[in-house]
Structures are given as structure tokens and as C-alpha cells.
Amino acid sequence: MMDQLLQVKNLKTAFRTDHGMQTVVHGISFHVNKGEIVGIVGESGCGKSVTSLSIMRLLHDTPGEIIDGEVIFKDQNLLPLPEKKMKSYRGKELSMIFQEPMTSLNPVLKIGKQLREPIQLHLKVSKPDAHQHAIKILESVGIPRAKEIMEEYPHQLSGGMRQRIMIAMAVSCKPSLLIADEPTTALDVTIQAQILNLMKDIQQQSNMGILMITHDLGVVAEVCDRVIVMYAGRIVEESTIVELFEKPKHPYTKGLIASVPKIGSGVNRLHSIPGTVPSPTNMPIGCKFAPRCKDVLDMCHIEEPSLIEKDGHSCRCWLYQDQRQGAIINE
Ligand SMILES: Nc1ncnc2c1ncn2[C@@H]1O[C@H](COP(=O)(O)OP(=O)(O)OP(=O)(O)O)[C@@H](O)[C@H]1O
Ligand SMILES: [Mg+2]
């Protein structure tokens, strides 16, 4: 489709371990349109960061490997591109805010140098012009004393400031797609809200697409247009944000929604989903959520349901599928 910016098709990523290759992202497919904010939500270990690192092709420092699928960005499959070509996309067309700010800020380089270099490289401008551009970007993300901060080192700044610097770096070359991996998790609630508003403002001004990765459904509700719910390396539900909160289908999604604190609900104990995410070495045979599911059916322990779409709302659950038909299809 015309306005599709990113299309991930059947992406499968595995890690080399002592027990052989272990798949942690199991053939996921989704898209992000121009100007759209899509959330990926799910508990720790469900494969959110591995998905984003796979899209950016940044797994080389890990024992991870993409073993199947396509990542189509503006009609170009990124996976077979030579690294040199991929580098010209990274930081310019495709940009990422990492889960841990200190992994992408170099502690021994001044902020100014770290901001200036990608601008010089990608926008092909002189050092003084890049310097001026960097100051403007810092000001646009609400950094006070931007000129002075350019001369400071990351450890001299607070967590909220560092996160703003990360956002400034990520948007400095006007990317078409920004992948933000837990951009606010390490911050306190007021700063979180400021950073989310800032990202929304930048998105509206530039019309970039954002893939917002978070374990926090509150963050998703705040900023996203569409949501993908992941469980154990699979997509289990996908829909618009309004539909997801009004008519959630998957019992896992319902559990996540019930765990979001609601002001004035009068309930002083928060719901939590019993049990834990299965480890990649010990996956149940059928539906991966079955051992924790309160609506579980016999079928769920036998065979994994497929992701079925109906009216733009997808769900991977036997409660919404004809079990006989599913069995026949998968025979
Ligand atoms: N470098 C690595 N080496 C081996 N396994 C890894 C590595 N990085 C991630 N994994 C495994 O891949 C799976 C998915 O991890 P991932 O980091 O994508 O989870 P996540 O959804 O981002 O979780 P969190 O919310 O904690 O950030 C986990 O089972 C994890 O143990
Ligand atoms: Mg992560």
C-alpha cells in the first residue's frame, strides 16, 4: 500500500546457545504507515527489543541472527543490503532510541560531538552548521542552556535530560521512522509524560512513523494509533487503540488491561496475570499462553491457534476460531 513505511514480514530471529539455535521471534508480520504511531506491548522477554534490533539490523554484538523474513522499508528489503548501505539508512532514514540510554551515549565524548557527527555525516553540512543545527534540536526537545550542554558529558546530566538528548539525537536527521524502545521506562512519572508529549509533538510536526515499544499499556493508550500485543515471541493480538481497550479479545490482552491502574476505580488491589512467561527452552506445545489462561480449552494444549484477522482486528486464540476447521487446516 502507498502509505506503508515499514512492513515486517514473517520475521524470525534466533539466538545461538549451548543447546543449538533458539528462536525468540517466531515469524511476526506487521506494518507501520507514514505518520502513524504503532505500539508493541508485552511482558519482559516477549521479544520486543529483539524485534526492534532485528529491524535495525543491530544484532551483530549478540549471538542473535535473523533466520527468516523480510523487513521492507519504503519498498526496499533491508535484510539483504550490504552493511555499508544499511549504515546510510541508520540514523538518517531509520532511527532508534534504545532501552538503556547509556548504551547509545558515549560516556567519554561531549554531547555536542555526539550530536554533531551524525548531522555532518547524513545531512552533509559543515561542522559549524552542524553545531548550530544540534543546538536548535536540543532547544526543540526542551533542553535548557543548550549551548553549554553541548560542552558537557553524559554523566553530568539527569536521566530525564539524557533521554531528551537521546530523542534529539534520534530525530536530528529527520528520520521517516523512529523506533523507540521503552523510551520512558527509566524515568519518573512526570518526566515520562513530558517525554511522551514531546515525542507526539515531534511526530506531528514531521509526520514520521513511530514504533513505540513498551511493557506499559498506559504509554500505549497515551500515544499510539494502533497496538500489537506480543506474547512469547508471537503476535497474539493487533488492533486500533480504541478497539483494543473497548473490545479486547485475547485473554492475555484482557489481563494486561486489567493490570493498568485506574484512578477512582475504588479497587485498591491491582490485578496481575498469574504465572510467568515460558522460557524459550520450555515452550508449551499448543497456545503459549494456555498455562496461564483462565479461559483455556482442551484444544489450547494440543495445537497453537493461528493469528486470524476480522475487520482489522487480529487475534491468535481458539475462543475466536472454529476448532474443527483449525484442526483440519493444520493437518
Ligand atoms: N543477547 C542475547 N543472548 C541470548 N538471548 C537473548 C539475548 N537478548 C535477548 N535474548 C532472549 O530473547 C528473548 C526476548 O528478549 P527481548 O530482550 O527482546 O525481550 P523484551 O520483550 O524486550 O523484554 P524487556 O521488556 O525486558 O525489555 C528473551 O528470551 C531473551 O532471553
Ligand atoms: Mg526490551
Side-chain angles (χ1 to χ4, degrees), residues 15-17 24 42-51 62-64 99 181-182 213 215 280:
F15 283 95
R16 284 178 296 280
T17 70
V24 295
E43 279 164 298
S44 186
C46 72
K48 304 181 298 292
S49 293
V50 173
T51 300
T62 73
Q99 188 161 359
D181 190 357
E182 307 274 7
I213 291 175
H215 65 275

Coordinates of all heavy atoms in Angstrom, one line a residue, residues 15-17 24 42-51 62-64 99 181-182 213 215 280, ligand 1:
F15 N 18.7 -17.1 18.7 CA 20.0 -16.9 19.3 C 20.7 -18.3 19.3 O 20.1 -19.3 19.5 CB 19.8 -16.5 20.7 CG 19.5 -15.0 20.8 CD1 18.1 -14.6 20.9 CD2 20.5 -14.0 20.8 CE1 17.8 -13.2 20.9 CE2 20.1 -12.7 20.8 CZ 18.8 -12.3 20.9
R16 N 22.1 -18.2 19.1 CA 22.9 -19.4 19.2 C 23.1 -19.6 20.7 O 23.5 -18.7 21.5 CB 24.3 -19.1 18.6 CG 24.2 -19.2 17.1 CD 25.6 -18.9 16.5 NE 26.1 -17.6 16.8 CZ 25.7 -16.5 16.1 NH1 24.9 -16.6 15.1 NH2 26.2 -15.3 16.5
T17 N 22.8 -20.8 21.2 CA 23.0 -21.2 22.6 C 23.8 -22.5 22.6 O 24.0 -23.1 21.6 CB 21.7 -21.4 23.3 OG1 21.1 -22.5 22.8 CG2 20.7 -20.2 23.1
V24 N 13.5 -16.8 19.2 CA 12.8 -16.0 20.2 C 11.7 -15.1 19.5 O 10.8 -14.6 20.2 CB 13.8 -15.2 21.1 CG1 14.6 -16.1 21.9 CG2 14.6 -14.2 20.3
G42 N 4.0 -5.9 25.6 CA 4.1 -7.3 26.1 C 5.1 -7.4 27.3 O 5.8 -6.5 27.5
E43 N 5.0 -8.5 28.0 CA 5.8 -8.6 29.2 C 7.3 -8.8 28.9 O 7.6 -9.1 27.8 CB 5.4 -9.9 30.0 CG 4.2 -9.6 30.9 CD 3.6 -11.0 31.3 OE1 3.1 -11.7 30.5 OE2 3.6 -11.2 32.5
S44 N 8.1 -8.6 29.9 CA 9.6 -8.8 29.7 C 9.9 -10.1 29.1 O 9.3 -11.1 29.5 CB 10.2 -8.7 31.1 OG 11.6 -8.7 31.0
G45 N 10.8 -10.1 28.1 CA 11.2 -11.3 27.5 C 10.4 -11.8 26.3 O 10.7 -12.8 25.7
C46 N 9.4 -11.0 25.9 CA 8.5 -11.5 24.9 C 9.1 -11.2 23.5 O 8.5 -11.6 22.5 CB 7.1 -10.9 25.0 SG 6.9 -9.2 24.6
G47 N 10.2 -10.5 23.4 CA 10.8 -10.3 22.1 C 10.7 -8.9 21.5 O 11.0 -8.7 20.3
K48 N 10.3 -7.9 22.3 CA 10.2 -6.6 21.8 C 11.5 -6.0 21.3 O 11.6 -5.5 20.2 CB 9.5 -5.7 22.9 CG 8.2 -6.2 23.4 CD 7.6 -5.3 24.5 CE 8.4 -5.1 25.7 NZ 8.6 -6.2 26.6
S49 N 12.5 -6.0 22.2 CA 13.8 -5.4 21.8 C 14.4 -6.2 20.7 O 15.0 -5.6 19.8 CB 14.7 -5.4 23.0 OG 14.2 -4.5 24.0
V50 N 14.3 -7.5 20.7 CA 14.9 -8.3 19.7 C 14.3 -8.0 18.3 O 14.9 -7.9 17.3 CB 14.8 -9.8 20.0 CG1 15.3 -10.7 18.8 CG2 15.6 -10.2 21.2
T51 N 13.0 -7.7 18.3 CA 12.3 -7.3 17.1 C 12.8 -6.0 16.6 O 13.2 -5.8 15.4 CB 10.7 -7.2 17.4 OG1 10.2 -8.4 17.8 CG2 10.0 -6.7 16.1
T62 N 25.5 -9.5 19.4 CA 24.8 -10.5 20.2 C 25.0 -11.9 19.5 O 25.3 -11.9 18.3 CB 23.3 -10.2 20.4 OG1 22.7 -10.5 19.1 CG2 23.0 -8.8 20.7
P63 N 24.6 -13.0 20.2 CA 24.6 -14.3 19.4 C 23.4 -14.4 18.6 O 23.0 -15.5 18.2 CB 24.7 -15.3 20.5 CG 24.4 -14.6 21.8 CD 24.4 -13.1 21.6
G64 N 22.7 -13.3 18.3 CA 21.4 -13.4 17.6 C 21.5 -13.4 16.1 O 22.5 -12.8 15.6
Q99 N 16.7 1.1 24.8 CA 16.1 0.9 26.1 C 17.0 1.5 27.2 O 16.5 2.1 28.2 CB 15.9 -0.6 26.3 CG 15.1 -0.9 27.5 CD 14.6 -2.4 27.4 OE1 14.8 -3.1 26.5 NE2 13.9 -2.8 28.5
D181 N 12.5 2.2 21.9 CA 12.4 1.0 22.8 C 12.3 1.5 24.3 O 13.3 1.9 24.8 CB 13.6 0.1 22.5 CG 13.4 -1.3 23.2 OD1 12.4 -1.5 23.9 OD2 14.4 -2.1 23.0
E182 N 11.2 1.4 24.9 CA 11.0 1.8 26.3 C 11.6 3.2 26.5 O 12.4 3.3 27.4 CB 11.6 0.8 27.2 CG 11.2 -0.6 27.0 CD 9.9 -1.0 27.8 OE1 9.3 -0.1 28.3 OE2 9.5 -2.2 27.7
I213 N 7.9 0.9 21.6 CA 8.0 -0.4 22.3 C 7.9 -0.2 23.8 O 8.7 0.6 24.3 CB 9.3 -1.1 21.8 CG1 9.1 -1.5 20.4 CG2 9.6 -2.3 22.7 CD1 10.2 -2.0 19.7
H215 N 6.4 -2.0 27.8 CA 5.6 -3.1 28.5 C 4.4 -2.4 29.2 O 3.6 -3.1 29.9 CB 6.5 -3.8 29.6 CG 6.9 -2.9 30.6 ND1 8.0 -2.0 30.5 CD2 6.4 -2.6 31.8 CE1 8.1 -1.3 31.6 NE2 7.1 -1.6 32.4
P280 N 12.2 -19.8 26.4 CA 12.3 -20.3 25.0 C 12.7 -21.8 25.0 O 12.4 -22.5 24.1 CB 13.4 -19.5 24.4 CG 13.5 -18.2 25.2 CD 13.0 -18.6 26.6
Ligands
LIG1 N1 21.9 -11.2 23.7 C1 21.1 -12.3 23.9 N2 21.5 -13.5 24.0 C2 20.7 -14.6 24.2 N3 19.4 -14.4 24.4 C3 18.8 -13.2 24.3 C4 19.7 -12.0 24.0 N4 18.9 -10.9 24.0 C5 17.6 -11.4 24.2 N5 17.6 -12.7 24.4 C6 16.4 -13.6 24.6 O1 15.4 -13.2 23.7 C7 14.1 -13.2 24.3 C8 13.5 -11.8 24.0 O2 14.2 -10.8 24.7 P1 13.9 -9.3 24.5 O3 15.1 -8.5 25.0 O4 13.5 -9.0 23.1 O5 12.7 -9.1 25.4 P2 11.8 -7.7 25.7 O6 10.4 -8.0 25.3 O7 12.5 -6.6 25.0 O8 11.9 -7.6 27.3 P3 12.0 -6.3 28.2 O9 10.6 -5.8 28.5 O10 12.6 -6.9 29.5 O11 12.9 -5.4 27.6 C9 14.4 -13.5 25.8 O12 14.1 -14.8 26.0 C10 15.8 -13.2 26.0 O13 16.3 -14.1 27.0

